[in-house]
Amino acid sequence: MASARCKLLFTFILFIFTIFPVSSQGLRHPLDPLSPEELTLVRTIVMDATSNDTIFSYVALDEPDKPLVLYWLSNPTTKPPPRRALAMTRFNKETHEFIVDLSTRAIISDKLVDDDQGYPILTLGERTEVAQLPYSFAPFIESMNRRGLNSSAAICSAYTLGWFGQEKTKRNVKLQCFYLNNGSVNYYAFPIEGIWMIANLDKMKIVEYSDRYIKPMPKSEGTDYRFSEQKPPFGPRINRAAVCQPDGPGIEIKGHMVRWGNWKLHVSFDAGAGPIISTALIYDEEAQRFRSVLYRGFVSELFVPYMDPTVGRFSDTFFDAGEYGLGYSAVSLEPSMDCPNNAVFMDGYYARYDGLPVIVPRAICLFEKNAGDIMWRHTETGIPSTIINEVRPDRSLVIRMVATVGYYNYIYDSEFKLDGSIHMEVGLTGILAIKATEYTNNHQIKEEIYGPLVSKNSIGLNHDHFFMYHLDLDIDGVHNSMVKRKLVTKRNRNTDTPRKSYWTVMSETPKTESEANFQYGLDPVQVLIVNPNKKTRLGNNHGYRLSPASFIHPLLTEDDYPQIRAAFTENDVWITPYNKSEKWVSGWYVDRSRGQDTLAVWSRRDREIDNKDIVLWHLMGIHHVPSQEDYPIMPTLKARFELHPNNYFERNPVLKLIPPEPVTPCNCN
């Protein structure tokens, strides 16, 4: 009996190791984000080599080489890859990039980065400090007095300046000031127009100032978005609702490893990208094993160019990940509001400007989504004296983070479904970028104002949102290929029927990057990532299909400086061979960069991609022409795409899904 118990215990431990790998250091996946203790250790090591004035712009895990990670995942009891950190810093007005070995507590690399390459992410500490400069700057105070405004009621923010052909750049930012008008907290609705103010971050000094004109301040009535400040009539009403799970939660979390349904994956938090999904595997009931789908997936960049080319606004062409950091912009999620009541939460950690760790409580939520959707169904009435109704309700796992970058709030959802599909969606809400104007009605306008009137004296500026996703798909292994599947119309040459036409599929497998990269047009094209070495019993290659839902093409000219920096938006789909250093499509040093280190530049090498370890880059987004409904705060707009199994399984993988038992109404108290 004792021997049987020991055997059972050993089997259970082996199962736990398989599902939730642990290392000799404890529950630690090689792609786990840096812990607060590790962030503190990095700070100590780097400061010992530099000075106490060092500014930490970005600190993150120095991702181990992919083969090392995959080997450890296959052999979880072996020693994990070396644990290292990347630290981008500024000191003595220079950018240094350090690689720190956390086990030996030593700096193994110190690279001096030329300012011509660009500057690292703006830290919140620097942005806060530089935004205080106008309050003691005499010309600004004089400008406020001329407008009849109290300078103490101004709120100033630091914005990146971009690059517009200069041979040399400095670490300068634009200061844009707004006004707290009659108690409204929506200060973005009250921009102080006509002032051009540039400050240098290294000197913490205003270095350029001009006051060219005065525009009337929009009225404050109706601009506050707080419910407590709204006036009757109210409505509509939302009745209370709750998710009830009588069988308990379906999500298991061990460290950063998540198990739900037939999925097993790793979720981490990064100061630049926000949420990163890694090593996603799906369990194939027929094959009785886990199979690889996604090695690494995250938002690599968010490019937001505004369409006002005038002196005060031309530089508003923002790279929200590379210049500000989506993780740095993460907010704590509100239970039962941002996420349903059945959600579980993960905290996020990052290093602030002085290197000390900062916690973002409830940075990520995970929840089972039950929206009343149908997974599959069929009603059959064709059999005599028989009616068949077979229905399966849909379920999915949602991983969510919200980033507030200036005006906008971005809701990032990664949704995993039991049929093997993955949906990526971004919701856009928050505040419009408003430009004050003297106009109060469209009939007064006789010039280009770069956006529609959304309220009296208020222009909602036209702009774009380009989201570029990094998707390192490993379809049943690392050696994958891209297949372009074109649907082509053909004339019917068969005279036995009256049909004149039909469509058929013509497939091609690009061999190099230049053959793979393309922009969706009018012709129907499907993109597949397949494993040419693995086939179903019928002889089809295992694969996944990209299903885009929101196309966006750049409308700036190719020689415009913001478009040179964002040349990665020229294609909806790019394919590159895996390269650890090719993580950020806009480059590692984006602030004031010149477009010399982007996906468009890497891809010019035209490397081989057939039957290689490849990365799919997909662009989605929105051209936003604001409307009055977007004011004073926007209802959520959405952009999305989906990844669907394509001959990955032998048959419908949820055919034998066990239907849930009926649930009696829960006591929501």
Side-chain angles (χ1 to χ4, degrees), residues 23 63 82 95 149 156 173 201 328 355 382 475 491 588 598 659 664:
S23 73
E63 183 180 323
T95 300
L149 302 176
C156 299
V173 294
L201 290 175
Y328 284 129
I475 306 303
R491 298 292 294 183
W588 284 89
T598 70
T664 56

Side-chain angles (χ1 to χ4, degrees), residues 213-254:
Y213 57 84
I214 297 175
K215 294 286 185 182
M217 187 68 64
K219 301 294 188 292
S220 63
E221 184 178 0
T223 61
D224 204 312
Y225 47 81
R226 293 173 295 178
F227 184 77
S228 61
E229 298 302 313
Q230 307 309 308
K231 298 176 182 178
F234 294 98
R237 175 182 294 276
I238 302 176
N239 288 343
R240 291 181 295 170
V243 178
C244 186
Q245 296 181 288
D247 301 323
I251 304 173
E252 301 175 37
I253 301 178
K254 302 288 186 180

Side-chain angles (χ1 to χ4, degrees), residues 322-348:
E323 293 176 340
Y324 300 96
L326 299 178
Y328 284 129
S329 306
V331 298
S332 294
L333 298 169
E334 293 293 326
S336 297
M337 299 295 282
D338 285 316
C339 310
N341 66 291
N342 65 327
V344 293
F345 296 87
M346 284 185 177
D347 297 334

Side-chain angles (χ1 to χ4, degrees), residues 16-22 27-32 72-73 251-260 263-268 278-281 346 366:
I16 293 299
F17 267 82
T18 303
I19 303 303
F20 301 116
V22 294
L27 190 64
R28 173 59 59 84
H29 189 287
L31 298 177
D32 277 359
W72 184 85
L73 290 174
I251 304 173
E252 301 175 37
I253 301 178
K254 302 288 186 180
H256 289 269
M257 287 300 301
V258 176
R259 177 75 190 275
W260 173 83
W263 284 99
K264 178 174 67 171
L265 48 89
H266 182 273
V267 180
S268 63
S278 303
T279 60
L281 310 175
M346 284 185 177
L366 303 91

Side-chain angles (χ1 to χ4, degrees), residues 145-393:
N145 291 336
R146 277 210 316 275
R147 288 164 171 78
L149 302 176
N150 184 351
S151 59
S152 64
I155 294 182
C156 299
S157 298
Y159 295 95
T160 51
L161 271 173
W163 171 75
F164 292 90
Q166 302 95 329
E167 288 189 11
K168 290 291 182 181
T169 59
K170 297 181 179 179
R171 203 158 177 250
N172 290 347
V173 294
K174 182 183 80 167
L175 296 179
Q176 173 70 54
C177 298
F178 308 88
Y179 200 65
L180 279 174
N181 195 9
N182 290 333
S184 173
V185 298
N186 190 358
Y187 60 89
Y188 288 125
F190 312 110
I192 301 168
E193 300 288 353
I195 295 174
W196 177 254
M197 184 164 33
I198 304 300
N200 182 268
L201 290 175
D202 289 329
K203 298 178 180 179
M204 277 299 161
K205 179 181 178 182
I206 294 173
V207 294
E208 186 178 335
Y209 187 89
S210 65
D211 187 354
R212 301 178 309 284
Y213 57 84
I214 297 175
K215 294 286 185 182
M217 187 68 64
K219 301 294 188 292
S220 63
E221 184 178 0
T223 61
D224 204 312
Y225 47 81
R226 293 173 295 178
F227 184 77
S228 61
E229 298 302 313
Q230 307 309 308
K231 298 176 182 178
F234 294 98
R237 175 182 294 276
I238 302 176
N239 288 343
R240 291 181 295 170
V243 178
C244 186
Q245 296 181 288
D247 301 323
I251 304 173
E252 301 175 37
I253 301 178
K254 302 288 186 180
H256 289 269
M257 287 300 301
V258 176
R259 177 75 190 275
W260 173 83
N262 47 1
W263 284 99
K264 178 174 67 171
L265 48 89
H266 182 273
V267 180
S268 63
F269 177 87
D270 180 83
I276 297 179
I277 312 297
S278 303
T279 60
L281 310 175
I282 190 166
Y283 191 76
D284 186 333
E285 293 287 350
E286 189 161 334
Q288 291 287 292
R289 62 182 177 87
F290 278 100
R291 298 169 62 191
S292 61
V293 177
L294 177 68
Y295 177 72
R296 207 91 155 116
F298 56 89
V299 178
S300 180
E301 189 55 271
L302 166 52
F303 175 49
V304 188
Y306 283 85
M307 295 300 126
D308 185 345
T310 59
V311 172
R313 303 275 183 162
F314 75 93
S315 63
D316 291 352
T317 55
F318 306 121
F319 294 78
D320 285 350
E323 293 176 340
Y324 300 96
L326 299 178
Y328 284 129
S329 306
V331 298
S332 294
L333 298 169
E334 293 293 326
S336 297
M337 299 295 282
D338 285 316
C339 310
N341 66 291
N342 65 327
V344 293
F345 296 87
M346 284 185 177
D347 297 334
Y349 296 91
Y350 64 80
R352 70 182 190 185
Y353 65 96
D354 59 1
L356 290 173
V358 173
I359 182 174
V360 183
R362 306 184 308 278
I364 296 173
C365 74
L366 303 91
F367 60 90
E368 286 184 277
K369 182 179 178 181
N370 176 14
D373 294 331
I374 296 170
M375 181 183 296
W376 64 263
R377 80 167 328 279
H378 182 62
T379 296
E380 182 57 69
T381 59
I383 303 174
S385 304
T386 304
I387 296 178
I388 299 172
N389 269 315
E390 286 287 331
V391 185
R392 300 293 182 271

Side-chain angles (χ1 to χ4, degrees), residues 41 45-46 83-85 98-109:
L41 178 59
I45 294 170
V46 170
R83 187 91 174 147
R84 293 173 177 171
F98 293 98
I99 303 295
V100 178
D101 190 303
L102 297 174
S103 59
T104 62
R105 303 190 173 210
I107 293 173
I108 60 175
S109 172

